[in-house]
Amino acid sequence: MLNTVTYDGPGEVPLLIAHGLFGSARNWGMIAKRLSATRPVVTVDMRNHGESDWYDSHSYPDMAADLAEVITQPTDVIGHSMGGKAAMVLALQRPELVNRLIVADIAPVSYTHSQMAPIAAMRGVDLDSVENRSDAKAQLGDLEPGVADFLLQSLDMKNKRWRLNLDVLAAEMDKIIGFPEVSGQFEGRTLFLSGGNSDYVQRDARPRIKQLFPAAQFAKIPGAGHWLHAEKPREFEAAVSAFLA
């Protein structure tokens, strides 16, 4: 069972939030707390992340099955990036569990970019020598703006370890940037919410999206990139609330 954080709220339909690669449930704490004003919200640590168990596999069918174990009734689901792919597979394989689906800045396609650079950077940190997060950040080296601070949220300073199963994430990277062969459709309401400055959801992916999610709607948040919920949290919350209302 995945580690979960629950935010109590009114209403009968809960909202489940699945984070992206290298993320965690607590990355979504502020957004989850605000959204819980109108509904119960549950955030999860995906497998091989945060406080959840480590496994040798990091496939999307396995991650979707993990999410299914958390759900006890039909639930609205948000998934960002890796979590968005897992949420899509969940909706396609277990549509009775998903009420409405929000896919944040990802499409049901394979990508060519790898995320091995952050893994190499984290492996390169001499955790025994770091006294604080600033020391670790200096050792992470030259990463894209904001990436180092994001990765450091998964550093357990007390136990001098990463809360990420780096070996398995590296070994399974092809699966993470890919998308499994799936059949069927999810006919429920679905929103593909993208960052206006992001190139993760291209127009040529729309036929595949519509094939799998015939009720799909599309929206963009101007000025946001791939990390749209972190860059434009208020706009993200407004878009989610409007869709769920």
Side-chain angles (χ1 to χ4, degrees), residues 115-171:
Q115 296 294 336
M116 292 301 294
I119 291 178
M122 286 184 279
R123 283 173 163 170
V125 176
D126 179 6
L127 294 174
D128 291 333
S129 71
V130 298
E131 298 294 331
N132 50 53
R133 293 181 189 276
S134 296
D135 292 343
K137 185 175 182 179
Q139 291 191 38
L140 281 172
D142 186 22
L143 295 170
E144 293 182 20
V147 171
D149 289 326
F150 171 66
L151 296 177
L152 289 171
Q153 294 181 50
S154 291
L155 177 60
D156 180 354
M157 281 296 305
K158 180 180 178 181
N159 295 302
K160 298 294 184 75
R161 60 182 287 270
W162 294 101
R163 296 189 187 91
L164 298 164
N165 189 348
L166 297 179
D167 290 344
V168 168
L169 295 178

